[in-house]
Amino acid sequence: MAAALAVITAVVYAGVQSFGFVNFDDPQYVIDNAHVTAGVTWPGVVWAFTTGHAANWHPITWLSHMLDVTLFGAAAGPAHAVSLLIHVVNVVLLFWWLQRTTLATGRSAVVAALFGVHPMHVESVAWISERKDVLSTCFALLTLLAYTAYVRHPARSRYLVVAAAFALGLMAKPMIVTLPVLLLLVDVWPLERDRRFGALVREKAPLFVLAAASVAVTIVVQQRGGAVADFNPYPLSARVAHVLVSYVGYLGKAVWPSRLAVFYPLPIATSRGLALAALAGLAAITVGVFVRRGPQPYLLVGWLWYVVMLLPVIGLIQIGGQSMADRYTYLSLVGIFIAVVWGVPAALRGVPNHRALVGGAGAIAIAGFGLAAHNQLQSWRDSLSLWTHALEVTTGNYRAENAVGALLVDQGRVADALPHLTAAVRLEPAFAEAHNNLGTALARSGRAEEAMGEYRNALRLEPDLALAHNNLALALAGSGEADDAVAELRQATRLEPSNADFHYNLAVLLERQGQRAAALAELQAALAVQPDHAAAARMLEQLRR
């Protein structure tokens, strides 16, 4: 059965190894990350455990990307294949855990299959930067298996394995901080432990300590990285309303996974009526499963699994500018699958041929979700496909407008890019990256003054945006303001010393000003971080003659 589940999952994701990187997080995670592209090195290992790069602390994830490069080179295809392999392993681990704890092979297989082929999980598997998702879930499932072994044969060594697996999962992605609460749920079902609740909580005290430490580190790193949104635009009442609607929204997409996108913009406001309706629906479900907790404990456990595992990312603390994210459902939807797969047969018991009906419905669901997932997968083929699809299925998507515009600028289609970039800054005036990209499009259209205005807008919003400093410097240099241009480039190299292009651009300006020694130093800095930088190498050779 495990082999069949692996094959089904692999078939749905067939072709993903031919996809490329995308321009959303992949550059800072892999493509432009010198620590990762160097492969596994001792300095890289130290960096992985000490950095807050990309507003995250997940050293195990960094190491996995480095290992990809060491084994296969800095290529997208093998990285996709590794992420898919981990996803397949997760499917098998989930099946093993359910089958060993419930002895219900058929139902366990259906839950694992739904997990493997659900369209909302495409994002976690097909996005190289979301390696952290499949990796942390792998350790979470290993934690469940180790915990089950510990419960059946308690021993300190077995508990240490549980704690180690959980710690590794937290170091892959801290979203699994609520896993100790999930272990309390599985104590109820399927493990059916009869110990008092207080004793069960005390038993997990070391795991709660690990979770608390992970939360503290994550908050510090994300605040320093600017990932935590300013709470002023999002008062508590607005965030609570959005949380209620999001819980229902994820359920809706779980049942009917259409119009899926890599980015869903936050709504301007969530209506009180919609929030109250969501609250009523969630309360009704909670009361219903609680009432049935005796004869059907899997309903309560499955529902709370969903609620608890989504809690860290549901929006009480707003991280980033998205309202929802498909990747957040990767582990949380398992609870819904469990409740449905165990609950539907119980509800139909007594109906003639109910086994055949349930089996047929399960097969249809797996086939339908699998086909939808394979279709959704195609939007991840490349960056333009990804963001064009997002524009087709969402409205007011400033990030998608910006991404499409930037891609068109890179292709030299500046006239086509301008409407997208203009829309991006109109939809989200505080989006510094869009102002910077609009400036680039304007500069390439010969509108230098307007371009400099957009670069300055970007820097007003995000003073540490190194690329905007670089771009403003080039525009200033073109306008004859050499001293100001040098100052901007010095700021760019200070903010991003690992960018060889910034050092090279500064060297060019310094050499024009007759500062030969300073130019040589910048060229050497460029080649130190990128030895194959051809323009810097040629210029250095010329200056040394």
Side-chain angles (χ1 to χ4, degrees):
M1 185 63 75
L5 290 167
V7 170
I8 291 170
T9 305
V11 167
V12 167
Y13 284 90
V16 71
Q17 67 274 9
S18 67
F19 293 3
F21 291 104
V22 295
N23 65 344
F24 191 23
D25 284 357
D26 284 356
Q28 61 177 325
Y29 269 75
V30 181
I31 306 171
D32 298 333
N33 191 326
H35 300 283
V36 169
T37 55
V40 178
T41 64
W42 178 245
V45 171
V46 172
W47 175 84
F49 279 90
T50 57
T51 187
H53 185 66
N56 281 295
W57 186 76
H58 41 44
I60 299 301
T61 295
W62 290 128
L63 294 177
S64 78
H65 288 303
M66 293 174 187
L67 186 59
D68 284 352
V69 174
T70 296
L71 295 176
F72 312 112
H80 280 301
V82 170
S83 291
L84 175 56
L85 176 61
I86 298 172
H87 178 56
V88 170
V89 168
N90 290 345
V91 171
V92 173
L93 291 175
L94 177 59
F95 167 70
W96 281 347
W97 178 74
L98 280 170
Q99 197 278 330
R100 292 178 184 183
T101 54
T102 67
L103 302 181
T105 301
R107 295 179 189 183
S108 301
V110 172
V111 169
L114 291 172
F115 169 76
V117 306
H118 198 280
M120 291 192 77
H121 295 168
V122 167
E123 181 171 293
S124 295
V125 182
W127 188 6
I128 289 172
S129 293
E130 272 308 303
R131 170 71 59 77
K132 56 192 175 187
D133 215 359
V134 293
L135 197 56
S136 65
T137 296
C138 184
F139 286 115
L141 293 170
L142 288 171
T143 302
L144 282 170
L145 283 164
Y147 180 70
T148 301
Y150 162 76
V151 167
R152 290 177 174 173
H153 303 284
R156 180 175 297 180
S157 59
R158 291 175 182 267
Y159 192 93
L160 288 174
V161 174
V162 175
F166 180 45
L168 289 170
L170 290 171
M171 289 190 287
K173 185 177 183 179
M175 181 179 164
I176 64 167
V177 290
T178 52
L179 190 59
V181 180
L182 180 59
L183 297 182
L184 288 171
L185 293 176
V186 301
D187 282 337
V188 176
W189 184 93
L191 297 181
E192 298 180 345
R193 301 181 73 187
D194 58 2
R195 295 177 60 183
R196 291 184 179 276
F197 181 72
L200 293 173
V201 172
R202 287 193 296 274
E203 174 188 63
K204 295 164 186 63
L207 305 182
F208 281 110
V209 170
L210 286 173
S214 178
V215 169
V217 170
T218 300
I219 290 175
V220 170
V221 169
Q222 292 194 331
Q223 284 181 335
R224 289 179 178 175
V228 180
D230 182 356
F231 282 177
N232 291 329
Y234 308 107
L236 181 60
S237 59
R239 280 179 274 137
V240 170
H242 180 64
V243 164
L244 296 171
V245 172
S246 294
Y247 268 119
V248 175
Y250 282 123
L251 284 177
K253 287 188 177 292
V255 175
W256 192 257
S258 65
R259 305 183 72 80
L260 303 181
V262 65
F263 184 82
Y264 304 99
L266 274 166
I268 296 174
T270 301
S271 73
R272 180 176 298 179
L274 186 61
L276 289 175
L279 176 61
L282 295 171
I285 295 173
T286 303
V287 170
V289 298
F290 183 79
V291 168
R292 299 295 299 170
R293 70 189 184 282
Q296 296 176 288
Y298 43 78
L299 295 179
L300 179 62
V301 170
W303 173 245
L304 292 180
W305 179 314
Y306 167 72
V307 172
V308 166
M309 297 312 293
L310 261 181
L311 189 60
V313 290
I314 198 62
L316 283 174
I317 297 177
Q318 183 61 42
I319 304 297
Q322 72 280 346
S323 62
M324 299 169 62
D326 295 352
R327 59 190 177 275
Y328 294 161
T329 70
Y330 187 64
L331 184 55
S332 61
L333 278 188
V334 170
I336 300 300
F337 298 151
I338 288 173
V340 171
V341 171
W342 260 264
V344 169
L348 295 180
R349 191 172 294 128
V351 175
N353 300 318
H354 77 279
R355 292 183 182 276
L357 287 173
V358 169
I364 291 171
I366 292 168
F369 284 151
L371 179 61
H374 187 72
N375 291 336
Q376 178 67 19
L377 182 68
Q378 306 315 308
S379 67
W380 286 89
R381 185 171 298 278
D382 53 47
S383 298
L384 191 57
S385 298
L386 181 68
W387 292 110
T388 300
H389 175 76
L391 285 180
E392 291 170 352
V393 300
T394 63
T395 57
N397 199 328
Y398 63 91
R399 190 171 288 277
E401 294 282 10
N402 171 67
V404 170
L407 288 165
L408 292 173
V409 169
D410 288 343
Q411 294 176 4
R413 299 165 57 185
V414 177
D416 294 332
L418 280 169
H420 289 287
L421 294 170
T422 302
V425 298
R426 174 178 54 81
L427 290 167
E428 181 47 83
F431 190 21
E433 182 182 326
H435 285 285
N436 178 65
N437 289 333
L438 178 57
T440 300
L442 291 168
R444 294 189 184 183
S445 300
R447 298 156 65 178
E449 286 298 321
E450 293 175 78
M452 285 190 281
E454 291 300 330
Y455 295 142
R456 290 190 171 103
N457 284 335
L459 291 170
R460 173 177 51 81
L461 294 164
E462 192 176 333
D464 289 344
L465 187 59
L467 184 58
H469 283 288
N470 173 79
N471 292 343
L472 177 58
L474 297 180
L476 288 167
S479 300
E481 302 176 56
D483 290 341
D484 289 340
V486 167
E488 291 293 336
L489 272 170
R490 288 198 184 282
Q491 182 75 340
T493 56
R494 182 187 66 79
L495 291 168
E496 205 170 302
S498 62
N499 191 306
D501 288 335
F502 295 171
H503 289 288
Y504 171 73
N505 292 338
L506 179 55
V508 171
L509 290 183
L510 291 170
E511 194 276 333
R512 289 176 183 173
Q513 291 184 324
Q515 300 184 52
R516 185 186 182 89
L520 285 169
E522 292 300 328
L523 291 172
Q524 290 166 346
L527 292 170
V529 295
Q530 187 180 332
D532 61 347
H533 196 291
R538 285 196 301 270
M539 184 175 176
L540 182 63
E541 183 180 353
Q542 291 170 356
L543 291 181
R544 283 176 169 173
R545 286 176 184 170

